[in-house]
Amino acid sequence: MSQPHPLSVWAQNVSPSPTLAIDAKAKAMMAAGEDVCSFAAGEPDFDTPEFIKEAAIAALKSGKTKYAPTPGIEPLRAAIAERYAAEYGYQITPAQVVVSPGGKFSCFLGLQSVCNPGDEVLIPAPYWVSYPEMVKLCGGKPVYLNTSDRTGFKISPAQLEAAITPKSKVLIFNTPSNPTGGVYDRAEIEALMAVCLKHNLYILSDEMYEHLIYDGKQPTCIATLSSELAARTITVAGFSKSYSMTGWRMGTLVARPDIAKAAAELQSQMSSNCTTFAQYGALAALKEKDKARESLGAMKVAFDRRRKAMHAGLNRIPGITCLLAEGAFYLFPNISSFRIGSQEFCAKLLEQEKVAAVPGSAFGVDGYLRLSYATSDDTIARGLERLARFCAALKN
Ligand code: PLP
């Protein structure tokens, strides 16, 4: 009997998510009774607001337990269209909206809708870990645009232009950014989008953290900048970060009607509708605006306070420098002065001081760490003390 065939090239080539792996390891250590300070989480440490849970429970009890239309229940798609009009003046129809099982899946559907094998997809680095893997799963080729803290982790129009070839198809753009927390200004986005239009690129605009922006800055919804951009932009967002609903698996995709239709058809063969009764929870999040504003406001106040505390604490540690990011719930300090790779830095930090952080290398740039401040003030204070001790020992 011959050996069974090897696994597919997709299965062999995909890298598992390093952020989920580190978070899982930190959680396992905590469950085993170890006193870990974890800065690895990619999710708010707040519970889903009660009114959202209650709406989902009521839907469950009233029998919303069957298949629903693949792109989402009608009232939810309508509410998503309404919220884009209210927040950004973006006029779309419900037919342009797809509700998917998570922002991650929305990104994948967006890429699957426009990316052919052999197409090049431009990805600013540091990048969210899933982008390159998703591009490869579409048969595309990721092309990285490297940045550093010297430019605030932002790409320039000239840099974008220089990376474009006749095979370039899509720019993946993520602001506020995971992992840096960086936020592009509207003028900076306009300059980059002019290059995208000149070269007829699609833009996969990952606006997952649109509501988590500090210092009075406002988010930019790229599709609203011009009708040409609306025709080329696939907007990804969701409920995970704004409403503390990471486990619910609810993402959104908004695009030109034919792209949205294609994404829904792809979803119809890959996952069908997002959990039916969960969609009623999401509907409550959009409909009960005062309650939603209150819970988001409370979360933002806490994140902003922790952001400032963590930023100040990091910059007090000799050898570390850190920009004050304006969005999401991450800081991305520079640790290159310690002259060890970020992976080794994080492995030793977890082993010696029980502090969990994600190495910059996981996001395509070495010499940095990603620290999430979606954790308690006390964990931040204690974790920074340990990090300072660890850094002092490394310097000696
Ligand atoms: N995009 C970015 C930049 C993210 O950080 C995340 C989650 O961490 C997602 C998309 C996906 O979110 P979801 O949990 O809804 O799949």
Side-chain angles (χ1 to χ4, degrees):
M1 192 75 184
S2 52
Q3 289 292 315
H5 288 297
L7 299 186
S8 71
V9 290
W10 312 115
Q12 287 186 51
N13 293 336
V14 75
S15 309
S17 166
T19 46
L20 292 183
I22 291 168
D23 192 38
K25 185 167 180 191
K27 282 181 180 152
M29 286 171 72
M30 284 188 244
E34 297 196 53
D35 174 24
V36 177
C37 290
S38 181
F39 299 134
E43 60 185 348
D45 56 323
F46 291 79
D47 196 2
T48 305
E50 251 346 272
F51 74 96
I52 298 176
K53 289 191 204 171
E54 276 162 18
I57 292 167
L60 183 57
K61 287 194 171 155
S62 73
K64 305 289 190 206
T65 54
K66 306 290 190 204
Y67 291 132
T70 297
I73 56 171
E74 284 307 326
L76 181 57
R77 292 172 83 199
I80 291 165
E82 278 163 28
R83 86 118 177 138
Y84 273 104
E87 289 180 36
Y88 300 106
Y90 186 21
Q91 303 295 340
I92 51 169
T93 66
Q96 292 177 259
V97 177
V98 178
V99 180
S100 80
K104 189 177 271 186
F105 200 63
S106 299
C107 289
F108 188 55
L109 288 175
L111 283 173
Q112 284 261 313
S113 301
V114 296
C115 181
N116 284 320
D119 284 347
E120 293 179 0
V121 177
L122 299 149
I123 306 179
Y127 47 73
W128 181 47
V129 291
S130 297
Y131 300 143
E133 298 307 312
M134 289 179 182
V135 170
K136 288 188 231 160
L137 288 170
C138 293
K141 182 177 167 217
V143 174
Y144 303 110
L145 306 174
N146 289 322
T147 69
S148 73
D149 49 3
R150 284 194 305 280
T151 61
F153 302 108
K154 290 177 182 175
I155 57 166
S156 69
Q159 186 184 11
L160 174 59
E161 181 113 41
I164 293 173
T165 74
K167 289 189 174 169
S168 305
K169 178 65 88 58
V170 186
L171 168 70
I172 301 184
F173 198 70
N174 171 222
T175 181
S177 153
N178 177 4
T180 69
V183 181
Y184 284 81
D185 294 335
R186 189 182 175 97
E188 292 167 333
I189 295 175
E190 282 172 343
L192 290 169
M193 292 309 131
V195 178
C196 291
L197 286 180
K198 181 175 160 198
H199 295 276
N200 200 18
L201 298 184
Y202 279 108
I203 300 105
L204 182 82
S205 182
D206 183 343
E207 300 174 12
M208 206 67 205
Y209 295 90
E210 65 190 311
H211 297 124
L212 296 176
I213 301 193
Y214 315 100
D215 301 333
K217 270 200 152 185
Q218 294 303 315
T220 305
C221 179
I222 290 179
T224 62
L225 295 178
S226 69
S227 55
E228 290 80 9
L229 278 170
R232 288 167 181 78
T233 302
I234 301 168
T235 307
V236 168
F239 296 86
S240 296
K241 317 288 174 173
S242 303
Y243 305 98
S244 249
M245 290 171 68
T246 47
W248 291 58
R249 311 312 303 134
M250 300 273 301
T252 63
L253 177 150
V254 169
R256 225 171 54 198
D258 59 325
I259 297 178
K261 183 167 176 281
E265 285 171 1
L266 286 162
Q267 177 160 301
S268 77
Q269 297 294 12
M270 291 199 270
S271 70
S272 300
N273 64 277
C274 175
T275 306
T276 306
F277 53 84
Q279 294 190 49
Y280 287 88
L283 182 60
L286 296 181
K287 287 285 184 196
E288 301 201 32
K289 293 193 178 62
D290 289 343
K291 289 183 188 166
R293 205 173 295 122
E294 199 182 312
S295 61
L296 175 63
M299 195 158 73
K300 267 180 69 172
V301 166
F303 285 161
D304 189 24
R305 183 183 65 239
R306 297 168 186 174
R307 172 180 76 112
K308 288 175 180 151
M310 184 181 259
H311 171 257
L314 285 169
N315 282 306
R316 275 196 294 270
I317 299 175
I320 290 186
T321 54
C322 185
L323 297 178
L324 182 60
E326 293 159 315
F329 38 69
Y330 309 106
L331 291 178
F332 206 65
N334 186 323
I335 51 133
S336 57
S337 76
F338 295 100
R339 304 200 173 282
I340 60 170
S342 58
Q343 210 161 347
E344 188 184 346
F345 189 101
C346 287
K348 287 188 168 153
L349 181 62
L350 186 57
E351 188 187 298
Q352 294 173 16
E353 292 287 352
K354 300 202 190 330
V355 172
V358 187
S361 58
F363 309 97
V365 292
D366 211 356
Y368 299 89
L369 308 178
R370 189 195 76 174
L371 301 180
S372 161
Y373 49 84
T375 185
S376 70
D377 300 73
D378 175 60
T379 301
I380 292 172
R382 288 190 306 123
L384 286 178
E385 252 174 52
R386 296 180 191 187
L387 178 62
R389 190 165 58 208
F390 177 77
C391 290
L394 272 185
K395 283 275 182 206
N396 291 328

